[in-house]
Amino acid sequence: MTDSERGRPMAQVDTAETAQDAAGGRDTGAETWRAAIRRAIHNGSRPGPWKRGPVLAALALLLGLSMLLHAKIPNWIGNLGSLVETFLPWFGLFIPVLLAGALWRRSASATVALLLPVMVWLNLFGGLLGDKSHPGGDLTVAGHNVGADNRDPAGTARDLAASGADVLALQELTPQARGTYEKELAKAYPYHTVQGTVGLWSRLPLSDTRPVDTQMDYGPLAATKPVDTKLTYNRALRTTVATAHGPMAVYVAHLGSARVNPRDGFSTGHRDRNAQALAAAIAADQNERVVLLGDLNGTMDDRAFNDITSQMRSVQEAAGDGFGFTWPAGFPVARIDQILVRGVKPQGSWVLPATGSDHLPVAAGIKW
C-alpha cells in the first residue's frame, strides 16, 4: 500500500485495486483474442492436407483413367491407342513416382487418388506377377526370330536344339543362313519345312504344309506377281503336326514391323493388315487344335490383335512366369514374340536364354 493510500479508508483502497485488476484483465483478454484470431487466419490461409498437391492428384487420376480406358484412346492420332497398349505395363512405374511426390507434399488428396491407378494396374497385370507355370506337358513348342543380322546362326541352332522343344518355329530366315539351320537342326528334327523367311522343325511328322497369305502385297499390282516371287519373301506358313493325340495345326508367322516416327506416329499399317489376314486364316481352320508361334511385332494388349486373341489364348498370360518380355534381347521391354493356342491347355511358358539374335526365344509346354 502506498503512502497516499494509507490516508484513505480501506474500502476505497480495495475498490481502486479491483478497478486496476479489471482493466488489466480486459487488456490481457483482448490480446489473447487478437492472437487467437491471427492464428486462425494464418492456419486458414495455409492449404490443408486435402488441399495440397492438386496437380499430383490430377496426374494420379489421369494415370488411372488412361490404363482403365486404354481401349478408348483413339488410334486416329498417330495410332496413339496402340502405342499406349504396347507399353501399358510400364505405366505402373509412374505410381511410385507420384507417391513420392504426394508424401513430400504431404498431400492426402494425391495419396488417395493414387488408389485408382494401383487398383487398375493390379487388375490388368497383377496376375502376371507370380509364376503360373507347371512342369511337364504332352508337347513342348518353341519359337524364335533368329535375326537376319545374326552372326552366329550355327550357335543359335545348337542352343535351340538343346532346349528340348518338340516343335521349333523360326522367323527371319535369310537365304544365306537357311542352310546352316537345316544342317545344325537335322539330327534333332527329322521333319522340317521352310516357306519363304519362316520355317518349322519338328520331331513329329508334318503334312498339309502351305504358305499363308498375310497380304504382304496389296493394291492393284499384288495379284500380278508370280507365286514363286511372292514365296521368296513369304512370312507365314501353316502345317499339320501328327501328335499322339491327333493332328494339330501349327502356324508360324512374322508380321510387319511397327515403327515410331515424328511424321506418322506409331506406324503399324503393314502389321495390322497382316494380323487381320492371319486371324481370318486361323478362324477358317477346321482343326480343333491350333498353335500359333511367331514374331507378331506387338503385345497382346494391343487392340490390333483382337481378332486373334478372341479365338486363341496367350500361353504366357495363362501359364507363364512374369511378363516374359522378349525384345530387345539386351534389355527386354515388351513381349512381341508370342505363342497362342486353341483347343489345347497351356501347361507352362518361359523365355529361353539369349542367342545371337536381337530377340529372345520363347517356349511353352502344352497338354491335352
Side-chain angles (χ1 to χ4, degrees):
M1 183 179 295
T2 64
D3 293 339
S4 59
E5 288 172 342
R6 289 192 185 95
R8 289 185 293 169
M10 184 59 68
Q12 293 180 1
V13 174
D14 291 343
T15 301
E17 289 178 348
T18 302
Q20 290 176 0
D21 292 342
R26 284 196 299 272
D27 292 342
T28 303
E31 290 177 359
T32 301
W33 277 105
R34 283 195 292 270
I37 293 172
R38 285 196 297 270
R39 285 195 300 270
I41 294 174
H42 177 69
N43 291 333
S45 63
R46 295 172 57 191
W50 291 101
K51 294 182 179 180
R52 299 188 197 116
V55 174
L56 290 171
L59 290 175
L61 293 175
L62 179 61
L63 176 61
L65 291 174
S66 297
M67 293 190 291
L68 178 65
L69 304 175
H70 64 87
K72 303 296 183 182
I73 299 175
N75 251 352
W76 53 267
I77 308 175
N79 277 335
L80 180 61
S82 287
L83 180 61
V84 167
E85 289 165 339
T86 297
F87 299 102
L88 198 57
W90 293 97
F91 276 45
L93 292 179
F94 292 110
I95 294 175
V97 174
L98 290 174
L99 178 59
L103 294 176
W104 179 68
R105 292 282 291 130
R106 297 181 181 178
S107 171
S109 58
T111 303
V112 172
L114 277 169
L115 291 175
L116 176 62
V118 168
M119 297 303 295
V120 174
W121 193 93
L122 289 175
N123 181 64
L124 291 173
F125 305 111
L128 296 175
L129 296 178
D131 184 358
K132 301 185 294 295
S133 63
H134 302 281
D138 298 318
L139 199 70
T140 300
V141 298
H144 189 28
N145 180 327
V146 294
D149 297 325
N150 191 331
R151 296 182 179 181
D152 186 19
T156 297
R158 289 192 293 268
D159 290 342
L160 293 173
S163 70
D166 300 296
V167 175
L168 174 63
L170 304 185
Q171 306 92 42
E172 211 165 292
L173 292 167
T174 64
Q176 298 78 13
R178 172 177 172 173
T180 301
Y181 287 106
E182 289 177 328
K183 177 183 177 181
E184 296 293 337
L185 295 172
K187 184 177 180 179
Y189 301 98
Y191 308 97
H192 90 280
T193 179
V194 175
Q195 303 288 322
T197 64
V198 295
L200 187 78
W201 278 257
S202 174
R203 302 182 192 274
L204 304 170
L206 305 177
S207 63
D208 192 20
T209 301
R210 61 181 182 269
V212 175
D213 182 10
T214 54
Q215 298 184 15
M216 292 297 298
D217 295 302
Y218 69 103
L221 298 179
T224 65
K225 292 186 177 182
V227 175
D228 292 344
T229 300
K230 290 183 177 182
L231 186 58
T232 60
Y233 53 84
N234 174 70
R235 294 173 62 156
L237 67 82
R238 187 264 187 211
T239 190
T240 300
V241 177
T243 76
H245 300 273
M248 180 179 73
V250 177
Y251 286 79
V252 182
H254 182 195
L255 304 188
S257 299
R259 296 283 186 267
V260 179
N261 58 73
R263 180 178 179 180
D264 300 321
F266 191 47
S267 180
T268 62
H270 294 288
R271 184 205 67 181
D272 296 351
R273 185 178 65 254
N274 299 160
Q276 292 174 5
L278 180 61
I282 294 172
D285 201 301
Q286 298 300 309
N287 202 304
E288 178 185 353
R289 306 178 185 94
V290 181
V291 175
L292 168 61
L293 303 123
D295 171 8
L296 303 189
N297 272 309
T299 71
M300 293 299 92
D301 294 311
D302 193 327
R303 68 194 67 181
F305 301 103
N306 285 351
D307 290 342
I308 294 177
T309 55
S310 64
Q311 53 183 317
M312 305 188 79
R313 299 174 66 191
S314 164
V315 296
Q316 184 65 26
E317 293 181 2
D321 180 7
F323 289 91
F325 294 148
T326 63
W327 181 88
F331 186 79
V333 297
R335 183 182 177 92
I336 64 175
D337 301 274
Q338 310 291 349
I339 302 177
L340 296 102
V341 298
R342 183 182 79 191
V344 295
K345 180 182 178 181
Q347 183 73 0
S349 177
W350 58 95
V351 177
L352 295 171
T355 67
S357 172
D358 59 339
H359 293 246
L360 295 176
V362 292
I366 58 177
K367 65 183 300 184
W368 278 259

